[in-house]
Amino acid sequence: MDRIQENQKKAANLCELYAEEDDNQEEQKQTGLDAQFLLHPTPEDIEKYTIHLRKLLMEGEGECLIEIGHPINSNSKNPKIGIPEDSIQKAIEAHQKILEKIPAVGTKVVQRKHDKNRVSEVYLIRDPPEEKDFIEARVAVVGNVDAGKSTLLGVLTHSALDDGRGAARTKLFRHKHEFESGRTSSVGNDILGFDVHGNVVNKPDPHNHNLDWVQIGSDCAKLVTFIDLAGHEKYLKTTIFGMTGHMPDYTMLMIGANMGIIGTTKEHLSLALSLQVPVYLVVTKIDMCPANILEETMKNITRLVRSAKKLPILVRTMDDVVHAAVNFPSKKVCPIFQVSNVEGTNLPLLRQFLNIVPLRRSLNENDPAHFQIDDIYWVDGVGTIASGTLLSGTIRLNDILLLGPTSNGDFQPVPIKSIHRKRMPVGIVKCGQSASFALKKIPKKDVRKGMVLVDPKIKPVASMLFEAEILVLHHPTTIKPNYQAMLHIGSVRQTATLVSMGKEVLRTGDRDKVQFKFIRQPEYIRPGTKMVFREGRTKAVGTVSSVVPQESLAQQRAKAKDGRNKHYGKKSGPKPPNGKPKVEKQLESLSIDKLADSAA
């Protein structure tokens, strides 16, 4: 009985303890900041607000949006929003003083009007600019051929309107056949820089229209990299590589207003959705499209967006831009812009959206470095250059990383002798940023797309076999074991054989856990990586669930050597009929003779 009473007392004490904690949490919730706290701020309120801003800046990698006149962490169901119009200036001055202490720079984006003559102001907050460091966002530009992708990027990056005959796109083309056909066939990279106040810093050369990437990189606080992908169906594998290998944060899907949803538009949208990259739509050529055709196109687009379980938001004002940018990383909304590259309609809204849209990447700065290579160059006097994206950790000058896997599955140590970000020399690269490294004394033929540079702490192991959970999006007939397809896993692009699967056959819409084996050479892949595989009209997506490590060449040689040593230790030769060698028989007979002699 005593023991039961003691247990009851302990339980009662624990209940009181947790009840006190709950009360404290409720008090903390009740003491959130109301909409007008900046008019009469107490030291406690200022400290809370400062902590709140620092947390938002850290989550947004150095930028965030804040609304003056909106309650923070309020517990009430119908909080009062807005500050009287005649008092808003006082709140802005108090806000500015708090920013100076952090320190941070605030820029007004838009003023919102509420009922009872109340207003609120949305501000873009950024860390003070640092030399050779900027916030980087990557946007994949996809859409059907002739949707105006390269033209829009030419207009955005060079701040000059198009002439209606494709003059803007010629500033971006890299190959002779692209100028002749007017179609992009390679993965292009174009940049748009914003300073700390959100002004565009791109200054193209007036003579040859070239951009000075080093000047843009040093002047900007945020840099948007456009990954210009091919729209034509015959370049689809290049487009898939751009979406998986270049790790875009967002996807800009472009649709021609006069053509509507045709060709590869749906395929590009399903690719972005399957890789879980947030998508926004840009409808181009609205200046040359009749009103009834534009209306029909917008109805089809709304239907398509809703079928992808997203809420379409047509962006017409700056208030819509803020609403779309704040909700965009949640992947539940799909902003739609209607633009004209000839007349410049709504281009300022699209620029402002790119300026304020927040980054929501999961940062792993404290993890060991893992850099995936998506392109290789040779520069005379420097040597082999590997470019790609840093997926985790931090890399500094003179770090020694492991480059691999080779065709044997081995990794070799490589010192990092120089680092460039957007053609600008830097001393450090952080997680989520793209960069290029000079690899000393490594021939270009020894490096390929799909290789990685990793920290030796990881102890990387290449693999030929891996398991994945897949969803078959489309297949004309059935998939059986020994089926082969081209796999895209990050920057890895190689044909693999389907070794085994849970079901007997796979058809369109089926999900299953399957095992793949690369047919050419081992690769370094991590569980959790998204993958796409296609072969002809077959399309499937999935996630790598587990990897079967392959023994390196050195381990295989060591095993073979051990086997040979064991083999040498054994005495070979045919055994006699009774199973004992001749020497043992002779010894036995001798010992028997000796025993007989001693007995005699």
Side-chain angles (χ1 to χ4, degrees), residues 479-509:
I479 296 174
K480 294 179 180 178
N482 294 326
Y483 171 81
Q484 290 189 341
M486 174 69 81
L487 296 192
H488 294 262
I489 310 169
S491 59
V492 172
R493 183 167 61 178
Q494 194 185 144
T495 305
T497 306
L498 201 155
V499 181
S500 64
M501 54 194 199
K503 297 177 182 176
E504 283 185 19
V505 290
L506 291 175
R507 294 184 175 86
T508 301

PDB file of all heavy atoms in Angstrom, residues 479-509:
ATOM      1  N   ILE A 479       6.675  -3.427 -67.190  1.00  0.00           N
ATOM      2  CA  ILE A 479       8.104  -3.461 -66.844  1.00  0.00           C
ATOM      3  C   ILE A 479       8.368  -4.751 -66.080  1.00  0.00           C
ATOM      4  O   ILE A 479       7.665  -5.063 -65.114  1.00  0.00           O
ATOM      5  CB  ILE A 479       8.494  -2.234 -65.990  1.00  0.00           C
ATOM      6  CG1 ILE A 479       8.320  -0.947 -66.800  1.00  0.00           C
ATOM      7  CG2 ILE A 479       9.912  -2.356 -65.465  1.00  0.00           C
ATOM      8  CD1 ILE A 479       8.543   0.318 -66.016  1.00  0.00           C
ATOM      9  N   LYS A 480       9.385  -5.504 -66.512  1.00  0.00           N
ATOM     10  CA  LYS A 480       9.758  -6.762 -65.864  1.00  0.00           C
ATOM     11  C   LYS A 480      11.230  -6.707 -65.456  1.00  0.00           C
ATOM     12  O   LYS A 480      11.951  -5.808 -65.883  1.00  0.00           O
ATOM     13  CB  LYS A 480       9.526  -7.932 -66.835  1.00  0.00           C
ATOM     14  CG  LYS A 480       8.060  -8.154 -67.178  1.00  0.00           C
ATOM     15  CD  LYS A 480       7.880  -9.299 -68.150  1.00  0.00           C
ATOM     16  CE  LYS A 480       6.404  -9.492 -68.473  1.00  0.00           C
ATOM     17  NZ  LYS A 480       6.196 -10.555 -69.456  1.00  0.00           N
ATOM     18  N   PRO A 481      11.728  -7.690 -64.640  1.00  0.00           N
ATOM     19  CA  PRO A 481      13.150  -7.728 -64.302  1.00  0.00           C
ATOM     20  C   PRO A 481      14.023  -7.766 -65.571  1.00  0.00           C
ATOM     21  O   PRO A 481      13.591  -8.259 -66.621  1.00  0.00           O
ATOM     22  CB  PRO A 481      13.287  -9.008 -63.480  1.00  0.00           C
ATOM     23  CG  PRO A 481      11.946  -9.197 -62.870  1.00  0.00           C
ATOM     24  CD  PRO A 481      10.970  -8.695 -63.880  1.00  0.00           C
ATOM     25  N   ASN A 482      15.255  -7.220 -65.453  1.00  0.00           N
ATOM     26  CA  ASN A 482      16.236  -7.071 -66.548  1.00  0.00           C
ATOM     27  C   ASN A 482      15.866  -5.952 -67.522  1.00  0.00           C
ATOM     28  O   ASN A 482      16.499  -5.801 -68.560  1.00  0.00           O
ATOM     29  CB  ASN A 482      16.452  -8.374 -67.330  1.00  0.00           C
ATOM     30  CG  ASN A 482      17.102  -9.437 -66.462  1.00  0.00           C
ATOM     31  OD1 ASN A 482      17.921  -9.103 -65.603  1.00  0.00           O
ATOM     32  ND2 ASN A 482      16.725 -10.692 -66.648  1.00  0.00           N
ATOM     33  N   TYR A 483      14.863  -5.121 -67.147  1.00  0.00           N
ATOM     34  CA  TYR A 483      14.515  -3.945 -67.954  1.00  0.00           C
ATOM     35  C   TYR A 483      15.616  -2.896 -67.762  1.00  0.00           C
ATOM     36  O   TYR A 483      16.117  -2.711 -66.654  1.00  0.00           O
ATOM     37  CB  TYR A 483      13.162  -3.414 -67.455  1.00  0.00           C
ATOM     38  CG  TYR A 483      12.755  -2.093 -68.023  1.00  0.00           C
ATOM     39  CD1 TYR A 483      12.173  -1.998 -69.281  1.00  0.00           C
ATOM     40  CD2 TYR A 483      12.943  -0.919 -67.301  1.00  0.00           C
ATOM     41  CE1 TYR A 483      11.794  -0.780 -69.802  1.00  0.00           C
ATOM     42  CE2 TYR A 483      12.565   0.305 -67.814  1.00  0.00           C
ATOM     43  CZ  TYR A 483      11.995   0.369 -69.064  1.00  0.00           C
ATOM     44  OH  TYR A 483      11.628   1.578 -69.580  1.00  0.00           O
ATOM     45  N   GLN A 484      16.013  -2.208 -68.837  1.00  0.00           N
ATOM     46  CA  GLN A 484      17.069  -1.201 -68.758  1.00  0.00           C
ATOM     47  C   GLN A 484      16.525   0.179 -69.096  1.00  0.00           C
ATOM     48  O   GLN A 484      15.696   0.318 -69.995  1.00  0.00           O
ATOM     49  CB  GLN A 484      18.218  -1.542 -69.724  1.00  0.00           C
ATOM     50  CG  GLN A 484      19.015  -2.761 -69.278  1.00  0.00           C
ATOM     51  CD  GLN A 484      20.268  -2.964 -70.104  1.00  0.00           C
ATOM     52  OE1 GLN A 484      20.392  -2.451 -71.197  1.00  0.00           O
ATOM     53  NE2 GLN A 484      21.208  -3.726 -69.574  1.00  0.00           N
ATOM     54  N   ALA A 485      17.029   1.199 -68.357  1.00  0.00           N
ATOM     55  CA  ALA A 485      16.606   2.583 -68.609  1.00  0.00           C
ATOM     56  C   ALA A 485      17.710   3.530 -68.173  1.00  0.00           C
ATOM     57  O   ALA A 485      18.573   3.163 -67.369  1.00  0.00           O
ATOM     58  CB  ALA A 485      15.320   2.890 -67.846  1.00  0.00           C
ATOM     59  N   MET A 486      17.673   4.754 -68.701  1.00  0.00           N
ATOM     60  CA  MET A 486      18.636   5.785 -68.320  1.00  0.00           C
ATOM     61  C   MET A 486      18.191   6.438 -67.009  1.00  0.00           C
ATOM     62  O   MET A 486      17.079   6.956 -66.922  1.00  0.00           O
ATOM     63  CB  MET A 486      18.724   6.837 -69.438  1.00  0.00           C
ATOM     64  CG  MET A 486      19.587   8.025 -69.110  1.00  0.00           C
ATOM     65  SD  MET A 486      21.332   7.630 -69.000  1.00  0.00           S
ATOM     66  CE  MET A 486      21.787   7.621 -70.725  1.00  0.00           C
ATOM     67  N   LEU A 487      19.053   6.385 -65.991  1.00  0.00           N
ATOM     68  CA  LEU A 487      18.726   6.960 -64.682  1.00  0.00           C
ATOM     69  C   LEU A 487      19.375   8.330 -64.525  1.00  0.00           C
ATOM     70  O   LEU A 487      20.521   8.527 -64.918  1.00  0.00           O
ATOM     71  CB  LEU A 487      19.238   6.064 -63.552  1.00  0.00           C
ATOM     72  CG  LEU A 487      18.657   4.663 -63.388  1.00  0.00           C
ATOM     73  CD1 LEU A 487      19.089   4.074 -62.063  1.00  0.00           C
ATOM     74  CD2 LEU A 487      17.150   4.669 -63.442  1.00  0.00           C
ATOM     75  N   HIS A 488      18.633   9.268 -63.930  1.00  0.00           N
ATOM     76  CA  HIS A 488      19.171  10.581 -63.555  1.00  0.00           C
ATOM     77  C   HIS A 488      19.048  10.689 -62.038  1.00  0.00           C
ATOM     78  O   HIS A 488      17.949  10.792 -61.512  1.00  0.00           O
ATOM     79  CB  HIS A 488      18.363  11.708 -64.207  1.00  0.00           C
ATOM     80  CG  HIS A 488      18.482  11.747 -65.698  1.00  0.00           C
ATOM     81  ND1 HIS A 488      19.351  12.587 -66.349  1.00  0.00           N
ATOM     82  CD2 HIS A 488      17.844  11.052 -66.665  1.00  0.00           C
ATOM     83  CE1 HIS A 488      19.233  12.403 -67.656  1.00  0.00           C
ATOM     84  NE2 HIS A 488      18.324  11.480 -67.871  1.00  0.00           N
ATOM     85  N   ILE A 489      20.196  10.640 -61.334  1.00  0.00           N
ATOM     86  CA  ILE A 489      20.201  10.771 -59.862  1.00  0.00           C
ATOM     87  C   ILE A 489      21.169  11.902 -59.527  1.00  0.00           C
ATOM     88  O   ILE A 489      22.380  11.720 -59.554  1.00  0.00           O
ATOM     89  CB  ILE A 489      20.662   9.475 -59.161  1.00  0.00           C
ATOM     90  CG1 ILE A 489      19.900   8.266 -59.707  1.00  0.00           C
ATOM     91  CG2 ILE A 489      20.489   9.580 -57.662  1.00  0.00           C
ATOM     92  CD1 ILE A 489      20.465   6.938 -59.285  1.00  0.00           C
ATOM     93  N   GLY A 490      20.623  13.107 -59.235  1.00  0.00           N
ATOM     94  CA  GLY A 490      21.503  14.264 -59.062  1.00  0.00           C
ATOM     95  C   GLY A 490      22.223  14.516 -60.384  1.00  0.00           C
ATOM     96  O   GLY A 490      21.597  14.604 -61.441  1.00  0.00           O
ATOM     97  N   SER A 491      23.547  14.620 -60.348  1.00  0.00           N
ATOM     98  CA  SER A 491      24.296  14.844 -61.597  1.00  0.00           C
ATOM     99  C   SER A 491      24.746  13.524 -62.233  1.00  0.00           C
ATOM    100  O   SER A 491      25.438  13.531 -63.244  1.00  0.00           O
ATOM    101  CB  SER A 491      25.516  15.729 -61.319  1.00  0.00           C
ATOM    102  OG  SER A 491      26.345  15.133 -60.364  1.00  0.00           O
ATOM    103  N   VAL A 492      24.360  12.390 -61.638  1.00  0.00           N
ATOM    104  CA  VAL A 492      24.697  11.065 -62.206  1.00  0.00           C
ATOM    105  C   VAL A 492      23.728  10.764 -63.347  1.00  0.00           C
ATOM    106  O   VAL A 492      22.506  10.904 -63.193  1.00  0.00           O
ATOM    107  CB  VAL A 492      24.604   9.957 -61.124  1.00  0.00           C
ATOM    108  CG1 VAL A 492      24.746   8.575 -61.738  1.00  0.00           C
ATOM    109  CG2 VAL A 492      25.655  10.177 -60.054  1.00  0.00           C
ATOM    110  N   ARG A 493      24.283  10.341 -64.479  1.00  0.00           N
ATOM    111  CA  ARG A 493      23.435   9.982 -65.634  1.00  0.00           C
ATOM    112  C   ARG A 493      24.027   8.712 -66.241  1.00  0.00           C
ATOM    113  O   ARG A 493      25.076   8.763 -66.882  1.00  0.00           O
ATOM    114  CB  ARG A 493      23.425  11.129 -66.630  1.00  0.00           C
ATOM    115  CG  ARG A 493      22.528  10.881 -67.823  1.00  0.00           C
ATOM    116  CD  ARG A 493      22.291  12.141 -68.623  1.00  0.00           C
ATOM    117  NE  ARG A 493      23.492  12.726 -69.166  1.00  0.00           N
ATOM    118  CZ  ARG A 493      23.506  13.818 -69.938  1.00  0.00           C
ATOM    119  NH1 ARG A 493      22.383  14.433 -70.212  1.00  0.00           N
ATOM    120  NH2 ARG A 493      24.628  14.294 -70.425  1.00  0.00           N
ATOM    121  N   GLN A 494      23.381   7.557 -65.985  1.00  0.00           N
ATOM    122  CA  GLN A 494      23.908   6.287 -66.470  1.00  0.00           C
ATOM    123  C   GLN A 494      22.770   5.277 -66.640  1.00  0.00           C
ATOM    124  O   GLN A 494      21.770   5.328 -65.924  1.00  0.00           O
ATOM    125  CB  GLN A 494      24.946   5.739 -65.472  1.00  0.00           C
ATOM    126  CG  GLN A 494      25.788   4.619 -66.055  1.00  0.00           C
ATOM    127  CD  GLN A 494      26.737   3.993 -65.034  1.00  0.00           C
ATOM    128  OE1 GLN A 494      26.955   2.795 -65.072  1.00  0.00           O
ATOM    129  NE2 GLN A 494      27.292   4.761 -64.133  1.00  0.00           N
ATOM    130  N   THR A 495      22.952   4.360 -67.594  1.00  0.00           N
ATOM    131  CA  THR A 495      21.952   3.302 -67.798  1.00  0.00           C
ATOM    132  C   THR A 495      22.084   2.257 -66.688  1.00  0.00           C
ATOM    133  O   THR A 495      23.195   1.916 -66.282  1.00  0.00           O
ATOM    134  CB  THR A 495      22.157   2.638 -69.170  1.00  0.00           C
ATOM    135  OG1 THR A 495      22.127   3.655 -70.163  1.00  0.00           O
ATOM    136  CG2 THR A 495      21.079   1.622 -69.464  1.00  0.00           C
ATOM    137  N   ALA A 496      20.951   1.772 -66.221  1.00  0.00           N
ATOM    138  CA  ALA A 496      20.946   0.751 -65.173  1.00  0.00           C
ATOM    139  C   ALA A 496      19.934  -0.333 -65.507  1.00  0.00           C
ATOM    140  O   ALA A 496      18.966  -0.102 -66.246  1.00  0.00           O
ATOM    141  CB  ALA A 496      20.612   1.373 -63.821  1.00  0.00           C
ATOM    142  N   THR A 497      20.187  -1.519 -64.958  1.00  0.00           N
ATOM    143  CA  THR A 497      19.292  -2.662 -65.164  1.00  0.00           C
ATOM    144  C   THR A 497      18.447  -2.869 -63.919  1.00  0.00           C
ATOM    145  O   THR A 497      18.961  -2.792 -62.799  1.00  0.00           O
ATOM    146  CB  THR A 497      20.121  -3.943 -65.422  1.00  0.00           C
ATOM    147  OG1 THR A 497      21.017  -3.690 -66.491  1.00  0.00           O
ATOM    148  CG2 THR A 497      19.229  -5.116 -65.774  1.00  0.00           C
ATOM    149  N   LEU A 498      17.160  -3.142 -64.110  1.00  0.00           N
ATOM    150  CA  LEU A 498      16.274  -3.438 -62.988  1.00  0.00           C
ATOM    151  C   LEU A 498      16.498  -4.913 -62.606  1.00  0.00           C
ATOM    152  O   LEU A 498      16.119  -5.816 -63.347  1.00  0.00           O
ATOM    153  CB  LEU A 498      14.831  -3.197 -63.418  1.00  0.00           C
ATOM    154  CG  LEU A 498      13.798  -2.977 -62.322  1.00  0.00           C
ATOM    155  CD1 LEU A 498      12.633  -2.170 -62.871  1.00  0.00           C
ATOM    156  CD2 LEU A 498      13.278  -4.276 -61.767  1.00  0.00           C
ATOM    157  N   VAL A 499      17.158  -5.144 -61.469  1.00  0.00           N
ATOM    158  CA  VAL A 499      17.571  -6.501 -61.075  1.00  0.00           C
ATOM    159  C   VAL A 499      16.402  -7.277 -60.471  1.00  0.00           C
ATOM    160  O   VAL A 499      16.127  -8.406 -60.845  1.00  0.00           O
ATOM    161  CB  VAL A 499      18.762  -6.441 -60.084  1.00  0.00           C
ATOM    162  CG1 VAL A 499      19.206  -7.842 -59.684  1.00  0.00           C
ATOM    163  CG2 VAL A 499      19.928  -5.670 -60.674  1.00  0.00           C
ATOM    164  N   SER A 500      15.726  -6.650 -59.494  1.00  0.00           N
ATOM    165  CA  SER A 500      14.610  -7.366 -58.837  1.00  0.00           C
ATOM    166  C   SER A 500      13.562  -6.360 -58.395  1.00  0.00           C
ATOM    167  O   SER A 500      13.860  -5.177 -58.210  1.00  0.00           O
ATOM    168  CB  SER A 500      15.130  -8.145 -57.622  1.00  0.00           C
ATOM    169  OG  SER A 500      15.641  -7.243 -56.652  1.00  0.00           O
ATOM    170  N   MET A 501      12.335  -6.860 -58.193  1.00  0.00           N
ATOM    171  CA  MET A 501      11.256  -5.988 -57.709  1.00  0.00           C
ATOM    172  C   MET A 501      10.228  -6.805 -56.938  1.00  0.00           C
ATOM    173  O   MET A 501      10.191  -8.036 -57.031  1.00  0.00           O
ATOM    174  CB  MET A 501      10.605  -5.259 -58.886  1.00  0.00           C
ATOM    175  CG  MET A 501      10.105  -6.151 -60.002  1.00  0.00           C
ATOM    176  SD  MET A 501       9.766  -5.162 -61.461  1.00  0.00           S
ATOM    177  CE  MET A 501       8.703  -6.250 -62.371  1.00  0.00           C
ATOM    178  N   GLY A 502       9.400  -6.084 -56.164  1.00  0.00           N
ATOM    179  CA  GLY A 502       8.436  -6.768 -55.300  1.00  0.00           C
ATOM    180  C   GLY A 502       7.306  -7.414 -56.076  1.00  0.00           C
ATOM    181  O   GLY A 502       6.891  -8.538 -55.788  1.00  0.00           O
ATOM    182  N   LYS A 503       6.796  -6.709 -57.104  1.00  0.00           N
ATOM    183  CA  LYS A 503       5.687  -7.241 -57.906  1.00  0.00           C
ATOM    184  C   LYS A 503       6.236  -8.007 -59.117  1.00  0.00           C
ATOM    185  O   LYS A 503       7.395  -7.847 -59.477  1.00  0.00           O
ATOM    186  CB  LYS A 503       4.808  -6.085 -58.394  1.00  0.00           C
ATOM    187  CG  LYS A 503       4.152  -5.314 -57.246  1.00  0.00           C
ATOM    188  CD  LYS A 503       3.355  -4.145 -57.777  1.00  0.00           C
ATOM    189  CE  LYS A 503       2.731  -3.351 -56.622  1.00  0.00           C
ATOM    190  NZ  LYS A 503       2.025  -2.167 -57.080  1.00  0.00           N
ATOM    191  N   GLU A 504       5.387  -8.800 -59.729  1.00  0.00           N
ATOM    192  CA  GLU A 504       5.810  -9.560 -60.916  1.00  0.00           C
ATOM    193  C   GLU A 504       6.042  -8.635 -62.103  1.00  0.00           C
ATOM    194  O   GLU A 504       7.026  -8.759 -62.827  1.00  0.00           O
ATOM    195  CB  GLU A 504       4.753 -10.611 -61.270  1.00  0.00           C
ATOM    196  CG  GLU A 504       4.797 -11.820 -60.350  1.00  0.00           C
ATOM    197  CD  GLU A 504       3.818 -12.908 -60.796  1.00  0.00           C
ATOM    198  OE1 GLU A 504       3.400 -12.884 -61.971  1.00  0.00           O
ATOM    199  OE2 GLU A 504       3.488 -13.763 -59.966  1.00  0.00           O
ATOM    200  N   VAL A 505       5.110  -7.697 -62.331  1.00  0.00           N
ATOM    201  CA  VAL A 505       5.247  -6.712 -63.415  1.00  0.00           C
ATOM    202  C   VAL A 505       4.806  -5.347 -62.895  1.00  0.00           C
ATOM    203  O   VAL A 505       4.037  -5.256 -61.936  1.00  0.00           O
ATOM    204  CB  VAL A 505       4.396  -7.081 -64.657  1.00  0.00           C
ATOM    205  CG1 VAL A 505       4.953  -8.288 -65.362  1.00  0.00           C
ATOM    206  CG2 VAL A 505       2.936  -7.279 -64.289  1.00  0.00           C
ATOM    207  N   LEU A 506       5.313  -4.277 -63.540  1.00  0.00           N
ATOM    208  CA  LEU A 506       4.919  -2.915 -63.172  1.00  0.00           C
ATOM    209  C   LEU A 506       4.243  -2.257 -64.371  1.00  0.00           C
ATOM    210  O   LEU A 506       4.728  -2.360 -65.502  1.00  0.00           O
ATOM    211  CB  LEU A 506       6.142  -2.092 -62.768  1.00  0.00           C
ATOM    212  CG  LEU A 506       6.839  -2.475 -61.461  1.00  0.00           C
ATOM    213  CD1 LEU A 506       8.088  -1.647 -61.271  1.00  0.00           C
ATOM    214  CD2 LEU A 506       5.912  -2.276 -60.263  1.00  0.00           C
ATOM    215  N   ARG A 507       3.112  -1.564 -64.103  1.00  0.00           N
ATOM    216  CA  ARG A 507       2.391  -0.845 -65.152  1.00  0.00           C
ATOM    217  C   ARG A 507       2.257   0.624 -64.756  1.00  0.00           C
ATOM    218  O   ARG A 507       2.665   0.996 -63.666  1.00  0.00           O
ATOM    219  CB  ARG A 507       1.001  -1.463 -65.350  1.00  0.00           C
ATOM    220  CG  ARG A 507       1.038  -2.883 -65.906  1.00  0.00           C
ATOM    221  CD  ARG A 507      -0.376  -3.398 -66.169  1.00  0.00           C
ATOM    222  NE  ARG A 507      -0.362  -4.700 -66.815  1.00  0.00           N
ATOM    223  CZ  ARG A 507      -0.283  -5.862 -66.158  1.00  0.00           C
ATOM    224  NH1 ARG A 507      -0.234  -5.877 -64.835  1.00  0.00           N
ATOM    225  NH2 ARG A 507      -0.277  -7.010 -66.823  1.00  0.00           N
ATOM    226  N   THR A 508       1.669   1.418 -65.637  1.00  0.00           N
ATOM    227  CA  THR A 508       1.463   2.856 -65.373  1.00  0.00           C
ATOM    228  C   THR A 508       0.711   3.055 -64.058  1.00  0.00           C
ATOM    229  O   THR A 508      -0.321   2.425 -63.833  1.00  0.00           O
ATOM    230  CB  THR A 508       0.661   3.490 -66.525  1.00  0.00           C
ATOM    231  OG1 THR A 508       1.394   3.284 -67.733  1.00  0.00           O
ATOM    232  CG2 THR A 508       0.463   4.980 -66.312  1.00  0.00           C
ATOM    233  N   GLY A 509       1.261   3.926 -63.195  1.00  0.00           N
ATOM    234  CA  GLY A 509       0.617   4.238 -61.903  1.00  0.00           C
ATOM    235  C   GLY A 509       1.033   3.339 -60.763  1.00  0.00           C
ATOM    236  O   GLY A 509       0.630   3.577 -59.620  1.00  0.00           O
TER     237      GLY A 509
END
